[in-house]
């Protein structure tokens, strides 16, 4: 997919100066898997050989080289046909929530915050959402992925009240993937450079791709935020 992205960028760069940079980068991206496949084919061992051993060995190594090159393409093709695409979303249908939100929940029986987060994570997983817990040094507790370019994170704070009562404070905020920023910034710079160079078709196309990447990232964060907000609503938070 990286090679396909670079190929598209190279086609957009034809006719102006960016092709000098994108072209060699594309060649390197193509040469790396070919070199790796060549090394694997060279080290392959064959048991049975035909009469003309030299030509048979060359033919078999070309077959191994071809199979090594086709293997990732075959895996990618099968994954995409099975729905494992970069634009897929997993989780229940919900109303998108794009803004940062804070919610509270009062309970009369004390419970450890870790147990509360574990239950909440289990409920999110049961609903089909992609969720992962934060680490010991992360400034968040749970993260729900809305898609490849964005998601939302949940932070829980607990106020202890006597006797054995608690006030839970939840904060949900959107988070954007680094790939979204890289795609958006890359195509914006490419669009500006193309327009300055007079390549209007390439400039407009690159700007449209950048806008699509930003819109998709924004949509992914809203989808994840909606899942978290709906789950906390069912939890009883307001």
């Amino acid at each position: 997919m990286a090679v396909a992205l670079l190929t598209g960028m190279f086609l957009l760069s034809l006719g102006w100066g960016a092709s000098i940079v994108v072209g060699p980068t594309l060649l390197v991206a193509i040469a790396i898997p070919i070199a790796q496949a060549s090394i694997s084919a060279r080290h392959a061992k064959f048991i049975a050989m035909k009469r003309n051993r030299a030509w048979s060995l060359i033919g078999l190594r070309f077959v191994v080289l071809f199979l090594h090159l086709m293997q990732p393409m075959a895996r990618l093709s099968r994954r995409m046909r099975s729905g494992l695409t970069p634009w897929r979303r997993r989780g229940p249908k919900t109303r998108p929530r794009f803004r940062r939100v804070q919610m509270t929940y009062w309970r009369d029986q004390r419970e450890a915050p870790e147990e509360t987060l574990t239950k909440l994570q289990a409920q999110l997983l049961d609903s089909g959402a992609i969720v992962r817990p934060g680490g010991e040094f992360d400034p968040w507790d749970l993260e729900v992925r809305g898609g490849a370019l964005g998601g939302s994170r949940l932070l829980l704070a607990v106020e202890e009240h006597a006797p054995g009562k608690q006030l839970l404070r939840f904060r949900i905020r959107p988070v954007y993937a680094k790939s979204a920023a890289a795609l958006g910034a890359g195509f914006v710079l490419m669009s500006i450079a193309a327009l300055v160079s007079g390549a209007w078709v390439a400039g407009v196309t690159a700007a449209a791709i950048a806008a699509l990447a930003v819109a998709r990232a924004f949509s992914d964060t809203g989808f994840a935020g909606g899942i978290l907000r709906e789950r906390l609503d069912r939890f009883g938070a307001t």
Side-chain angles (χ1 to χ4, degrees):
M1 294 188 67
V3 172
L5 178 62
L6 286 173
T7 301
M9 295 179 67
F10 176 71
L11 294 176
L12 289 176
S13 68
L14 292 176
W16 56 291
S19 59
I20 300 176
V21 177
V22 181
T25 305
L26 175 61
L27 290 177
V28 171
I30 295 175
I32 289 176
I34 293 178
Q36 184 180 8
S38 301
I39 295 173
S40 299
R42 182 181 178 182
H43 289 85
K45 296 182 180 180
F46 309 99
I47 298 177
M49 301 296 297
K50 296 181 179 180
R51 294 180 179 179
N52 194 334
R53 186 179 184 279
W55 287 107
S56 299
L57 184 61
I58 293 175
L60 288 174
R61 294 199 186 282
F62 269 109
V63 170
V64 174
L65 172 66
F66 176 78
L67 291 176
H68 273 280
L69 293 176
M70 291 298 104
Q71 184 186 47
M73 297 180 64
R75 289 200 306 267
L76 177 62
S77 175
R78 182 59 183 174
R79 287 171 179 171
M80 295 185 70
R81 287 201 304 267
S82 301
L84 193 61
T85 59
W87 52 87
R88 75 191 185 281
R89 283 176 175 166
R90 287 182 55 187
K93 293 183 179 180
T94 183
R95 177 184 174 185
R97 305 283 184 170
F98 301 100
R99 301 175 59 183
R100 178 180 298 190
V101 63
Q102 294 185 0
M103 305 177 70
T104 59
Y105 175 66
W106 176 268
R107 61 187 176 193
D108 295 328
Q109 293 184 350
R110 187 187 183 282
E111 183 179 80
E114 294 81 6
E115 187 175 350
T116 302
L117 291 170
T118 300
K119 291 180 180 179
L120 185 58
Q121 181 181 0
Q123 294 174 4
L124 288 167
L125 290 173
D126 290 340
S127 68
I130 301 177
V131 57
R132 69 186 182 101
E136 295 183 358
F137 303 101
D138 291 322
W140 50 273
D141 295 310
L142 292 177
E143 180 183 74
V144 173
R145 300 298 300 173
L149 300 182
S152 289
R153 288 175 177 173
L154 172 72
L155 177 64
L156 170 62
V158 179
E159 293 182 7
E160 301 289 347
H161 294 263
K165 299 180 180 180
Q166 292 176 317
L167 176 64
L168 279 64
R169 297 184 182 273
F170 300 95
R171 186 181 69 187
I172 303 173
R173 65 179 181 89
V175 58
Y176 298 92
K178 294 180 180 179
S179 56
L183 280 174
F187 279 102
V188 164
L189 292 175
M190 189 173 187
S191 174
I192 295 174
L195 293 175
V196 171
S197 301
W200 294 98
V201 175
V204 173
T205 303
I209 295 175
L212 288 175
V214 173
R216 179 66 189 197
F218 191 66
S219 178
D220 286 347
T221 61
F223 178 68
I227 293 176
L228 279 171
R229 177 68 181 270
E230 181 181 346
R231 183 53 54 184
L232 290 180
D233 286 337
R234 294 184 181 183
F235 189 75
T238 57

